[in-house]
Amino acid sequence: VRRDLSSLHNVKQNSSSSAGLSQNSLLDLYFRQLLPKIALTGPSFPWKCSEPSFRAMDAFLRCANPSTIGGNFDVVAPFFIHHLSNSGFKKSEDCDGNDSSNSLQEKTAEEYSVRISLMSLLQAILSDGSFDETIESELPIQSILSKNFATDVLLSLVLPNLVWRSGGLAAALRKLSAATMFSLLSHHNNRPRRDADVESDLYKLETLLHLIPILHSNLEDTESTTRELCCHCLSLILEQISRNDFQSIWEADTRVVDTLYPRLLMLLDDSHDPVRMATCTALQHFLRLAYNPCEEGPTCRLGVSSLEEITSSLIIQLDDPDAEIRRHVAEVFTTLLDIQRSDSNNCDNVAQSTEMKSKVIEMMDDKFRTAFKSHRYTQHINSLLENILDLKKEISQRNDKII
């Protein structure tokens, strides 16, 4: 491998100036030939951070263009899978009982060092848009990763490392894993689909039933960055899925979804403002899915009492001295009022829909008027009260039509 790299370096020096090649172009050109040679120089997987082969592979992947890695991820994936999948944790947990505590701690620290290094590498690769553009178009047709890449990476590499474990190294790994998931979801959402009618593997019900509970549990992480990233990830998911899919998740895992909005409400009082703003965005998408006054039965899971609890928690935040916090909270209220503005004529039960909307509007009107008298900052409250007044007129007109 040293001879190959040395000759490649000489060729690069001789030809780059005349051909106008970029610094990494030859490395990318011979990527598929060089990677297996580096892998063969080391012992069997998993490697340690101190292994020369591990350092060489890490440097090699960091120097390559993300688009090149995406086009050859079928040969790169085994390296990540062997070191980041859940099997490594299981082996550490099943260590021989004769091992001393110091030896076990050293093994655990070594494994976390490897995982943290590779998760940061994976996050850097996934955060580059060129990787996502090539992952589907350039992988060999026979590669199993070409069809379900996003789901494979998410479930086998990221999710096991998001599960809570004690210790500072585990917290660092969770934070990196949350950042990796955010990169994966954000680029996946922005990527144009080849066939709009085909459901994304990332948002299939069986995937979401694994994904949402883990994100839910990490909303209480001790690291503020992890909490913020998990809120953003939840927002990206809730933004993409349909109301029917959300209801299916709610029925399959009622406890997790029932406790989701109370946990989000707790984060409105988080000590870090970025977490609070990310929480507001997640609440907006949650309300669009969980509350629909135009439908009966399980499709309208949030009643007036739940909405009153949400409204009470949010109104307190409208008195926050930070203008950005107040703006994000006002956007949640605007979303809730927009839902009330939906056309009742398309509802299954117009009278019932109008009645529920009236109750919600009256409840919000009462709370806003009380807040207007006690809060220092009333700009958003005044605007929302005007919005409520318009809604009252609309609902009154609809009632007249029904009568």
Side-chain angles (χ1 to χ4, degrees), residues 331-375:
E331 288 176 357
V332 182
F333 279 125
T334 301
T335 297
L336 188 54
L337 293 173
D338 286 344
I339 296 172
Q340 312 304 322
R341 193 169 269 111
S342 58
D343 188 5
S344 292
N345 294 326
N346 297 324
C347 297
D348 296 332
N349 190 325
V350 176
Q352 180 176 325
S353 168
T354 306
E355 181 184 357
M356 183 171 187
K357 288 181 181 181
S358 298
K359 290 180 180 178
V360 173
I361 293 299
E362 288 297 334
M363 176 270 294
M364 295 179 71
D365 184 40
D366 179 63
K367 289 187 176 296
F368 281 138
R369 291 188 184 281
T370 302
F372 189 84
K373 298 175 183 178
S374 60
H375 283 195

Side-chain angles (χ1 to χ4, degrees), residues 12 88 103 154-155 160 167 175 195 200 214 231-232 244 263 266 279 303 307 318 333 337 342 382 384:
K12 184 187 296 183
S103 174
L154 190 65
L155 292 180
K175 179 163 62 176
D195 189 345
S200 167
I214 290 182
C231 277
H232 284 307
N244 288 336
R263 187 162 289 184
M266 289 175 61
T279 301
L307 292 174
L318 281 176
F333 279 125
L337 293 173
S342 58
N382 193 45
L384 290 166

